[in-house]
Amino acid sequence: MRIQLNNAINQIISSNITEDMTEYEKELAIHDALVDKVSYYNYENVEDIPYIKHTAYGALVQNEAVCDGYSKAFKLLLEKIGIDNVIVHGSTEGVAHAWNAVNIGDEYYHVDTTSDKLNIEKKHVIHTYFNLTDKQISETHSINHDFNVPECKSEKYNYYKKQGYS
């Protein structure tokens, strides 16, 4: 399983990352590759979710995961290319949820690959939850501050702002 996971990580990186890319461009490429590759594992009862769907292996090898599988896969991929990040625990719509806080340009930003996947229409990758501040993510998510969550206050690398869409 470890070999399969490492192979999947290396494949995504070699297919999407070049040395001349900025941190932001690398983060965006990994986000888009993950959202495109992984399907959300739909369930009716949280107790019935197979453990593997909560893992990076489920996301990157089996191409199917729930939120913590997405966030663990995103964490591993970003760490492999030298981008620091942490998994954030909290909730959305009253349901337990996990996503990442990513360090780009010495500032942290919230990134929720799962929510971007769930809001996807057809094959178009969206970036609604890409590099948000605490205030922005708090509109739809509640952060569990029992964990050490870095402050996310910059908008410099927010997708829509960076791309000139807002």
Side-chain angles (χ1 to χ4, degrees):
M1 287 177 75
R2 185 180 311 234
I3 291 169
Q4 290 175 307
L5 180 59
N6 284 331
N7 288 342
I9 290 169
N10 292 333
Q11 173 62 38
I12 289 171
I13 291 170
S14 66
S15 298
N16 295 283
I17 303 298
T18 61
E19 288 185 28
D20 63 330
M21 296 171 90
T22 65
E23 271 187 324
Y24 171 82
E25 291 168 333
K26 290 177 181 179
E27 176 200 22
L28 180 59
I30 294 297
H31 168 278
D32 291 358
L34 184 64
V35 170
D36 187 51
K37 175 181 177 62
V38 183
S39 294
Y40 187 76
Y41 179 78
N42 289 306
Y43 60 90
E44 293 197 23
N45 183 345
V46 70
E47 313 296 322
D48 296 334
I49 302 171
Y51 172 75
I52 202 77
K53 303 304 179 191
H54 294 278
T55 68
Y57 183 91
L60 298 173
V61 177
Q62 295 183 343
N63 301 328
E64 193 175 56
V66 292
C67 62
D68 50 344
Y70 273 86
S71 61
K72 290 170 185 173
F74 196 48
K75 180 173 180 47
L76 287 176
L77 288 162
L78 291 177
E79 286 177 346
K80 181 78 174 187
I81 59 173
I83 297 177
D84 184 41
N85 71 102
V86 298
I87 295 175
V88 180
H89 300 275
S91 63
T92 183
E93 297 180 9
V95 178
H97 193 55
W99 63 94
N100 302 74
V102 180
N103 187 327
I104 300 295
D106 293 325
E107 294 279 353
Y108 277 90
Y109 301 86
H110 293 280
V111 180
D112 186 351
T113 53
T114 308
S115 292
D116 278 348
K117 180 64 174 196
L118 292 176
N119 288 311
I120 199 167
E121 293 181 18
K122 300 185 181 173
K123 290 202 167 221
H124 178 71
V125 175
I126 64 167
H127 303 91
T128 304
Y129 294 94
F130 188 83
N131 287 355
L132 302 182
T133 64
D134 290 334
K135 183 179 178 184
Q136 290 165 331
I137 198 85
S138 293
E139 291 177 18
T140 54
H141 294 53
S142 296
I143 300 169
N144 182 341
H145 290 286
D146 291 343
F147 297 90
N148 188 16
V149 179
E151 185 178 29
C152 302
K153 59 184 179 183
S154 175
E155 291 184 12
K156 181 177 181 180
Y157 291 108
N158 171 276
Y159 177 81
Y160 293 100
K161 188 168 201 131
K162 180 79 173 153
Q163 301 301 117
Y165 297 140
S166 68

